[in-house]
């Protein structure tokens, strides 16, 4: 397929590389042009603007950091919505607000374009290995058009709903569960460590019995080793996702007391200078509270 791709950070670059390897024709754009230039060797065309990346493609994929960045390239100075052809698809893979997803769906509908929300679960190493999980929502026929792309980047695609914002709700709720898992692991590790038990052995017990899921293996391993850099998912992005979750919950009048606790963990970590660390570094707060680690 002819694919436009905007946003070549750690996740976006890995996704775009797998699309190129699968034989799709890419037109790429990144705010830092040097990241886009790397894709010439894979046969990609480097676009000078977001609008150029969106022009003449069948599918435009965006993988950007937040609402502001996505709005700017789509309907702000980037004008990608205006450049996208009628009948083309915008597959938004960014973790964005439910409200922005609704606005994008309407903006594309007005121009006779299609919008699919397709955020993913998986860290950069999973993206590089084409092992992401795709949460797709939007018109079912358009999701089927994109399935060949999703198959090239992930191990499974979940079709959530016909309404695009539903995928964003699922993504935010899923990230909330990851953050609370990090918190519960950290609190458990603090108790085990202060009791003189080897946390690695404790982790072996968890992942070898009732908690064998990848999320416990991945984040349990990072916390046990204190390995928070290089960041696979930086602290400010975790805080951003938490804020979007609380906004979505407030709109639906759903109390999320654990989300408020996690928010304070993120803010404390940021205040202590952990802005460049992986979001799992909120575990340090529990260790500090137990007297096991000094502040950053």
């Amino acid at each position: 397929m002819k694919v436009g791709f905007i946003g070549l950070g750690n996740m976006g670059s890995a996704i775009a590389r797998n699309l190129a390897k699968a034989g799709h024709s890419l037109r790429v754009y990144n705010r830092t042009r040097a990241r886009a230039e790397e894709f010439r060797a894979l046969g990609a065309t480097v676009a000078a603007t977001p609008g150029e990346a969106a022009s003449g493609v069948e599918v435009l994929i965006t993988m950007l950091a937040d609402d502001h960045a996505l709005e700017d390239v789509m309907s702000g100075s980037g004008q990608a919505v205006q450049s996208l052809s009628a009948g083309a698809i915008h597959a938004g893979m960014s973790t964005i607000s439910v409200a922005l997803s609704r606005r994008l769906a309407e903006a594309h509908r007005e121009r006779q374009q299609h919008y699919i929300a397709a955020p993913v679960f998986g860290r950069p190493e999973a993206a590089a290995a084409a092992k992401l999980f795709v949460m797709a929502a939007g018109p079912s026929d358009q999701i089927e058009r994109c399935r060949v792309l999703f198959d090239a980047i992930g191990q499974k695609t979940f079709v959530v709903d016909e309404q695009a914002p539903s995928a964003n709700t699922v993504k935010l709720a899923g990230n909330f569960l990851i953050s609370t898992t990090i918190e519960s692991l950290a609190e458990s590790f603090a108790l085990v460590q202060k009791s003189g038990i080897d946390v690695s052995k404790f982790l072996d017990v968890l992942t070898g019995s009732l908690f064998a899921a990848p999320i416990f293996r991945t984040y349990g391993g990072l916390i046990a080793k204190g390995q928070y850099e290089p960041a696979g998912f930086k602290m400010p992005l975790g805080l951003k996702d938490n804020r979007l979750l609380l906004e979505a919950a407030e709109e639906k009048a759903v109390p999320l007391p654990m989300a408020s606790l996690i928010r304070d963990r993120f803010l404390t970590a940021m205040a202590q200078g952990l802005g460049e660390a992986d979001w799992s570094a909120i575990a340090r707060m529990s260790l500090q509270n137990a007297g096991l680690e000094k502040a950053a």
Side-chain angles (χ1 to χ4, degrees):
M1 298 183 78
K2 294 180 179 178
V3 180
F5 202 105
I6 299 176
L8 298 169
N10 289 339
M11 291 291 289
S13 290
I15 292 170
R17 287 182 188 280
N18 283 326
L19 290 173
K21 289 176 184 176
H24 299 288
S25 173
L26 291 185
R27 182 177 295 170
V28 298
Y29 171 82
N30 194 66
R31 184 176 59 181
T32 304
R33 189 180 175 95
R35 298 295 294 267
E37 290 291 342
E38 297 173 8
F39 284 82
R40 286 193 189 276
L42 297 176
T45 299
V46 176
T49 65
E52 187 179 324
S55 179
V57 299
E58 297 169 80
V59 179
L60 174 67
I61 295 175
T62 52
M63 181 54 111
L64 296 159
D66 53 30
D67 282 28
H68 174 74
L70 183 55
E71 282 196 290
D72 188 50
V73 302
M74 294 307 299
S75 55
S77 59
Q79 297 190 327
V81 170
Q82 292 89 332
S83 300
L84 198 64
S85 302
I89 302 168
H90 172 202
M93 292 190 166
S94 310
T95 302
I96 59 169
S97 69
V98 175
L100 176 55
S101 191
R102 278 197 293 262
R103 293 198 298 274
L104 285 170
E106 181 57 31
H108 287 297
R109 190 179 302 114
E110 288 177 355
R111 301 187 71 87
Q112 298 181 316
Q113 301 157 353
H114 306 288
Y115 175 63
I116 295 171
V120 297
F121 284 135
R123 289 168 65 87
E125 54 268 28
K131 295 295 184 182
L132 295 170
F133 294 99
V134 181
M135 264 59 54
S140 57
D141 56 339
Q142 305 307 320
I143 291 174
E144 289 308 311
R145 283 178 65 191
C146 291
R147 192 172 287 274
V148 65
L149 302 177
F150 299 153
D151 288 348
I153 67 170
Q155 56 183 300
K156 187 170 184 177
T157 297
F158 295 88
V159 178
V160 178
D161 197 82
E162 286 270 338
Q163 302 302 314
S166 297
N168 303 102
T169 301
V170 168
K171 170 61 175 173
L172 293 173
N175 275 14
F176 168 55
L177 285 171
I178 296 172
S179 66
T180 55
T181 299
I182 293 170
E183 175 66 20
S184 61
L185 282 168
E187 293 180 19
S188 299
F189 281 21
L191 173 61
V192 166
Q193 185 176 337
K194 202 161 188 182
S195 300
I197 301 167
D198 186 334
V199 294
S200 296
K201 290 183 179 179
F202 175 58
L203 181 59
D204 285 343
V205 171
L206 295 181
T207 57
S209 58
L210 299 179
F211 303 93
I215 206 73
F216 287 94
R217 294 183 184 276
T218 297
Y219 287 103
L222 293 176
I223 296 168
K225 297 173 186 175
Q227 186 179 326
Y228 306 123
E229 294 181 2
F233 189 67
K234 287 187 177 181
M235 192 73 68
L237 295 176
L239 176 59
K240 178 264 295 184
D241 289 357
N242 178 268
R243 183 179 67 252
L244 298 182
L245 171 83
L246 287 167
E247 288 175 1
E250 182 174 344
E251 182 181 344
K252 298 296 183 182
V254 176
L256 295 177
M258 281 294 292
S260 296
L261 169 64
I262 298 298
R263 171 184 175 275
D264 289 346
R265 293 294 201 218
F266 283 127
L267 288 175
T268 302
M270 294 285 290
Q272 292 190 7
L274 294 173
E276 292 298 310
D278 192 82
W279 69 328
S280 57
I282 62 170
R284 296 184 67 175
M285 308 304 104
S286 293
L287 299 176
Q288 289 170 19
N289 288 346
L292 293 168
E293 186 174 319
K294 294 180 180 180

